Amino acid sequence: MVTGATAPGKKSLQTTLEISRAVKAYYGGVQAAKQEGKPIVWSYGLIPREIFHAVGAPVIYLEHLPLLMSTKQLSGRYCQIAEEEGFSRDVCAFHRCFIGCAAEEEKHPYLAKFWAPPDLIVASNLPCMSESKSFLYAANHFNCPYFFIDAPINIWGKEIPDYAVEYYAGQLGEALDFLGGYGYRLDWAKLKEAVALSRRLVYLWREIDEYRKAIPAPMGIVDGLTCAFPLIQLPGTKLGVELYERLRDEIKERVENKIGVLEEEKLRLLWIGVPPFYNMGLLNYPEQYGAIVVKSFVEYLAGGAFDPAIMDPEKPLESLATKALVDIVNPTYQNMIDFAVQTAKDFSVDGQIALVKRSCGLIPGVLRLVKDAVYQADGIPTTIFDLDGMDLREYDDAATKANIDSFIETLLDSKRRG
Amino acid sequence: MSTIDTMRDILHNPERLVADWKAQGKKIVGYRCIYVPEEIIWAAGMWPYPIFGTPEAITQADSYFQPCTCEFIRNIFDHALDGKLNFLDGLVLCNTCDAVRHLYDMWITYIKVPDCHIINNPQKMYDESGYKYYCVELKRFKSEMENLSGNGISDESLQSAINLHNQTRGLLKELYSLRKKDPPLISGGEALDIVMASMLMPKDKCNQQLQQLIAEVKTRESPKTRGPRILITGSIIDDPTLIQLVEEVGGVVVADDLCTTTKYFWQEVGQNKDPLDALSRYNTERCLCSCMHPPERRFDYLWELIEEFGANGVIYFNLKYCHPFLYEAALFREKLAAKDVPTLMLEVDHSLSGLGQLRTRIQAFIEML
Ligand code: SF4
Ligand code: SF4
């Protein structure tokens, strides 16, 4: 259902279309594997994807399927089904949507394009309680075995101590043993290759980010969100690297030719929190004021905000463990706050739009911290308001736009006054 | 004053005890939650002081936390902002839910004094690698407490702290056995107050009071009222209003699976020649909280309580936005239904707004039993 209040977002890049096709092909591959009788893995939490690619396991990630449902305005329907199954409206709408997809008896034709039931589950508590708990429903519903990976929170900052790396890496090894028990045998050479490819992917992502800092912005948030797919789901694959090489080339050309999304950029904004996937058009809404949303924090939520030099293909499990634990989404939040301050500065933003997704246990808790830190560092203001980017039923278009209008008008006004 | 009244008085007015303790030049370390090993704090010569909430509305904390954060945590932060926790010399948190992790960040950013520590405990129980990792974490924590107190912690002092705390656990368990009677000799509201007071009091004082209390309760006459025997499980309850409500409408609360009651004392720290190792084992083999894995073990423990206390029905209490318990609610309801245990699911805020509606729902449940 597309209501008057929802509209698709505008994309400007050729590579974005290729990545969209890669998404469809990815799920096509999972469904083909199911038909061949291969066990399908469902994975929850930000477990390093490289382990699955290294053993050739077809995986559906919780983080992505609800997002696809939301782009077709189906997330509210699936949240509703989960609530009928006994889940509170206060728990994460991503997870409710996923649970709803699992529980629906006759799959909606759009869901059917991406759907494959699980044979195995590999879950983790990184970064939030939702990740660590909602999979229990699926394990029970489909009666399938699961392996749980416990991630220590990051209380250390940029340097993760050996005992924590060892603990997490050990569990990744056990998860690989678990997968091995279902036919997905580990070949160490492949795992090392996956880590090397993953490192290359993050280097490319950082190079792309460097171009994205240009004024005018060569690429906006709608493209950015689609283009985050390889970072989130394809680390450790050749395909991910190829797609980012193409993206890098395309964006480089735009920057060299000074092609921006907007002809005249009056304001540059950063988007913090879950964007309304059911109404991506909202992300273009500020453009009528000459304001461009240059970047979304969600793009970093599964990696890409760390120094890829920490990855050493010769120590694959330790590298993946370090990468996971140092990730900015792993509480506690000093890394995320530092990163937010740096990003706001590097992208030359004038203001930040931060959303409270009421049902999220993670992001709302850091908004005040990020707001204060970014303001103290560079005087950049942040507006914070309610918007559940996943559950369309919670969306109030008029209130959302009024919040954006007043924030942008204030920013423009203060810019005029110098 | 009866012993229970003395204990309640300490729970509600701990200021005098706090002042006495401080007058001896000793430190007080606040903590949250049951996975913080109090014994280490005690062995360093400090008073491990559990932080509870109060049923007051949130004021200042709402400009730091979004309203979709567990109200219990916002309530605690409100107290910190108000200066009500200024008597603490340190605060220790542990790795449980999202809200507690946020509390840590908020505390170190906006409260700063006293120092806040966090124990990075594993959330996967009964796992040898988790246990090994936790041993290192506990050593780190031990040395942090040594630094804070200025006292070294010897194996002997740690062992004696374990013995003292085990004695409290044993006494509380003995007291709880008096709830197995039909009707039980103490009410649910009383039990909550007693356990919370026991958690709060320095254990040497507490154990004397508990011994006295058990002797007093044993001489009580059996109450006349009977009703369906109820077990309450779920998120934290730190005020007896809800339990009293169940009892007012005819339920008899015979047991509770809460972090302010049985979760605190049901298991004892084992004997081991290395006391730190004993604590590591203890805290990695106690799957009592829904933040931990695997949930099957938590259900086993709940089932043990249901059977031991002869509960006829379960009230599963969820604080709003308490994600760990909310996620497990559907699973637990199904498991309980499979065992023919009627269950009422409640989702309520910490200040218990909408009490009238709550009363009607609980009453209907009790009548149905
Ligand atoms: S971080 Fe927030 S939105 Fe993401 S899964 Fe966790 S609760 Fe949901
Ligand atoms: S009540 Fe729930 S959300 Fe709140 S602190 Fe306890 S476990 Fe966390």
Side-chain angles (χ1 to χ4, degrees), chain B residues 333-365:
Chain B
R333 189 177 56 182
E334 199 182 309
K335 279 175 177 279
L336 288 167
K339 297 226 180 227
D340 285 330
V341 179
T343 306
L344 173 68
M345 312 304 280
L346 297 176
E347 193 176 336
V348 186
D349 53 30
H350 186 250
S351 49
L352 292 182
S353 59
L355 213 56
Q357 219 183 23
L358 208 58
R359 173 186 286 270
T360 314
R361 287 191 61 201
I362 295 171
Q363 192 159 23
F365 179 64

Coordinates of all heavy atoms in Angstrom, one line a residue, chain B residues 333-365:
Chain B
R333 N 4.9 -18.0 28.0 CA 3.4 -18.2 28.1 C 3.1 -19.6 27.4 O 2.4 -20.4 27.9 CB 2.7 -17.1 27.4 CG 1.2 -17.2 27.6 CD 0.4 -16.1 27.0 NE 0.7 -16.0 25.6 CZ 0.1 -15.0 24.8 NH1 -0.6 -14.1 25.3 NH2 0.4 -15.0 23.5
E334 N 3.8 -19.8 26.3 CA 3.6 -21.1 25.6 C 4.0 -22.3 26.4 O 3.3 -23.3 26.5 CB 4.3 -21.0 24.2 CG 3.8 -22.0 23.2 CD 4.6 -21.9 21.9 OE1 4.8 -20.8 21.4 OE2 5.1 -23.0 21.5
K335 N 5.2 -22.1 27.0 CA 5.8 -23.2 27.8 C 4.9 -23.5 29.0 O 4.7 -24.6 29.4 CB 7.2 -22.9 28.3 CG 8.3 -23.1 27.2 CD 9.6 -22.6 27.8 CE 10.7 -22.9 26.8 NZ 11.3 -24.2 26.8
L336 N 4.4 -22.4 29.6 CA 3.5 -22.6 30.8 C 2.2 -23.2 30.4 O 1.7 -24.1 31.1 CB 3.3 -21.3 31.5 CG 4.6 -20.7 32.3 CD1 4.4 -19.3 32.7 CD2 4.9 -21.6 33.5
A337 N 1.7 -22.8 29.2 CA 0.4 -23.3 28.8 C 0.6 -24.8 28.5 O -0.3 -25.6 28.8 CB 0.0 -22.6 27.5
A338 N 1.8 -25.2 28.0 CA 2.0 -26.6 27.7 C 2.0 -27.4 29.0 O 1.7 -28.6 29.0 CB 3.3 -26.8 27.0
K339 N 2.3 -26.8 30.1 CA 2.3 -27.5 31.4 C 1.0 -27.2 32.2 O 0.9 -27.4 33.4 CB 3.5 -27.0 32.2 CG 4.8 -27.3 31.6 CD 5.7 -27.9 32.7 CE 7.1 -28.2 32.1 NZ 7.5 -29.6 32.5
D340 N 0.0 -26.6 31.4 CA -1.3 -26.3 32.0 C -1.3 -25.3 33.2 O -2.1 -25.5 34.1 CB -2.0 -27.6 32.5 CG -2.6 -28.4 31.4 OD1 -2.9 -27.8 30.4 OD2 -2.6 -29.7 31.5
V341 N -0.3 -24.4 33.1 CA -0.3 -23.4 34.2 C -0.9 -22.1 33.6 O -0.4 -21.5 32.7 CB 1.2 -23.1 34.6 CG1 1.2 -22.0 35.7 CG2 1.8 -24.4 35.1
P342 N -2.0 -21.7 34.2 CA -2.6 -20.4 33.7 C -1.7 -19.2 33.9 O -1.1 -19.2 35.0 CB -3.9 -20.3 34.5 CG -4.1 -21.6 35.2 CD -2.8 -22.3 35.3
T343 N -1.6 -18.4 33.0 CA -0.7 -17.2 33.1 C -1.3 -15.9 32.7 O -2.0 -15.9 31.7 CB 0.6 -17.5 32.2 OG1 1.1 -18.8 32.5 CG2 1.6 -16.4 32.3
L344 N -1.1 -14.9 33.5 CA -1.5 -13.6 33.1 C -0.3 -12.7 32.7 O 0.6 -12.6 33.5 CB -2.3 -13.0 34.3 CG -2.7 -11.5 34.2 CD1 -3.8 -11.3 33.1 CD2 -3.2 -10.9 35.5
M345 N -0.4 -12.2 31.5 CA 0.7 -11.3 31.1 C 0.4 -9.9 31.4 O -0.7 -9.4 31.0 CB 1.0 -11.5 29.6 CG 1.1 -12.9 29.1 SD 2.4 -13.9 29.9 CE 3.9 -13.4 29.1
L346 N 1.2 -9.1 32.1 CA 1.0 -7.7 32.3 C 2.1 -6.9 31.8 O 3.3 -7.3 31.9 CB 0.9 -7.5 33.9 CG -0.2 -8.1 34.6 CD1 -0.1 -7.8 36.1 CD2 -1.6 -7.7 34.1
E347 N 1.8 -5.8 31.2 CA 2.8 -4.8 30.8 C 2.5 -3.5 31.4 O 1.5 -2.9 31.1 CB 2.9 -4.7 29.3 CG 4.1 -4.0 28.7 CD 4.2 -4.0 27.2 OE1 3.6 -4.9 26.5 OE2 4.8 -3.1 26.7
V348 N 3.3 -3.1 32.3 CA 3.0 -2.0 33.2 C 4.2 -1.0 33.3 O 5.3 -1.5 33.2 CB 2.7 -2.5 34.6 CG1 2.2 -1.4 35.5 CG2 1.7 -3.7 34.6
D349 N 3.9 0.3 33.6 CA 5.1 1.1 33.8 C 5.5 1.1 35.3 O 4.8 0.6 36.2 CB 4.9 2.5 33.3 CG 3.7 3.2 33.7 OD1 3.2 2.9 34.8 OD2 3.1 4.0 33.0
H350 N 6.7 1.6 35.5 CA 7.3 1.5 36.9 C 6.5 2.2 37.9 O 6.4 1.8 39.1 CB 8.7 2.0 36.8 CG 9.5 1.8 38.1 ND1 9.9 2.9 38.9 CD2 10.0 0.7 38.6 CE1 10.6 2.4 39.9 NE2 10.7 1.1 39.8
S351 N 5.9 3.3 37.5 CA 5.1 4.0 38.5 C 3.7 3.5 38.6 O 2.8 4.1 39.3 CB 5.1 5.5 38.2 OG 4.7 5.7 36.8
L352 N 3.4 2.4 38.0 CA 2.1 1.7 38.0 C 0.9 2.5 37.7 O -0.1 2.5 38.5 CB 2.0 1.0 39.4 CG 2.9 -0.2 39.7 CD1 2.5 -0.8 41.1 CD2 2.8 -1.3 38.7
S353 N 1.0 3.3 36.7 CA -0.2 4.1 36.3 C -1.2 3.2 35.8 O -1.0 2.1 35.4 CB 0.2 5.2 35.3 OG 0.7 4.5 34.1
G354 N -2.5 3.6 35.9 CA -3.6 2.8 35.5 C -3.9 1.6 36.4 O -4.2 0.5 36.0
L355 N -3.7 1.9 37.7 CA -3.9 0.8 38.7 C -5.2 0.2 38.7 O -5.4 -1.0 39.0 CB -3.5 1.4 40.1 CG -2.9 0.5 41.1 CD1 -1.6 0.0 40.6 CD2 -2.6 1.3 42.4
G356 N -6.3 1.0 38.4 CA -7.7 0.6 38.5 C -7.9 -0.5 37.4 O -8.4 -1.6 37.7
Q357 N -7.4 -0.3 36.2 CA -7.5 -1.2 35.2 C -6.7 -2.5 35.5 O -7.2 -3.6 35.2 CB -6.9 -0.6 33.9 CG -7.8 -0.9 32.7 CD -7.1 -0.3 31.5 OE1 -5.9 -0.1 31.4 NE2 -7.9 -0.1 30.4
L358 N -5.6 -2.3 36.1 CA -4.8 -3.4 36.5 C -5.5 -4.3 37.5 O -5.5 -5.6 37.4 CB -3.5 -2.9 37.1 CG -2.2 -3.6 37.0 CD1 -1.9 -3.9 35.6 CD2 -1.1 -2.8 37.7
R359 N -6.1 -3.7 38.4 CA -6.9 -4.4 39.5 C -8.0 -5.3 38.8 O -8.1 -6.5 39.1 CB -7.5 -3.4 40.4 CG -8.5 -4.1 41.4 CD -9.2 -3.0 42.2 NE -8.3 -2.4 43.2 CZ -8.1 -2.8 44.5 NH1 -8.8 -3.9 44.9 NH2 -7.3 -2.2 45.3
T360 N -8.7 -4.7 37.8 CA -9.7 -5.5 37.2 C -9.2 -6.7 36.5 O -9.7 -7.8 36.6 CB -10.5 -4.6 36.1 OG1 -10.7 -3.3 36.7 CG2 -11.7 -5.2 35.6
R361 N -8.1 -6.5 35.8 CA -7.5 -7.7 35.1 C -7.0 -8.7 36.0 O -7.2 -9.9 35.8 CB -6.3 -7.2 34.2 CG -6.7 -6.4 33.0 CD -5.6 -6.2 32.0 NE -5.1 -7.4 31.5 CZ -3.9 -7.6 31.0 NH1 -3.1 -6.6 30.9 NH2 -3.5 -8.8 30.6
I362 N -6.4 -8.3 37.1 CA -5.8 -9.3 38.1 C -7.0 -10.0 38.7 O -7.0 -11.3 38.9 CB -4.9 -8.6 39.1 CG1 -3.7 -8.1 38.4 CG2 -4.5 -9.6 40.2 CD1 -2.8 -7.2 39.2
Q363 N -8.0 -9.3 39.1 CA -9.2 -9.9 39.7 C -9.8 -10.9 38.8 O -10.1 -12.0 39.3 CB -10.2 -8.8 40.0 CG -11.3 -9.2 40.9 CD -12.0 -8.0 41.6 OE1 -11.9 -6.9 41.1 NE2 -12.6 -8.2 42.7
A364 N -10.0 -10.6 37.6 CA -10.6 -11.5 36.6 C -9.7 -12.8 36.6 O -10.2 -13.9 36.5 CB -10.7 -10.9 35.2
F365 N -8.4 -12.6 36.6 CA -7.5 -13.8 36.5 C -7.7 -14.7 37.8 O -7.8 -15.9 37.7 CB -6.1 -13.3 36.4 CG -5.0 -14.4 36.3 CD1 -5.0 -15.3 35.3 CD2 -4.1 -14.5 37.3 CE1 -4.0 -16.3 35.2 CE2 -3.1 -15.5 37.3 CZ -3.1 -16.4 36.3

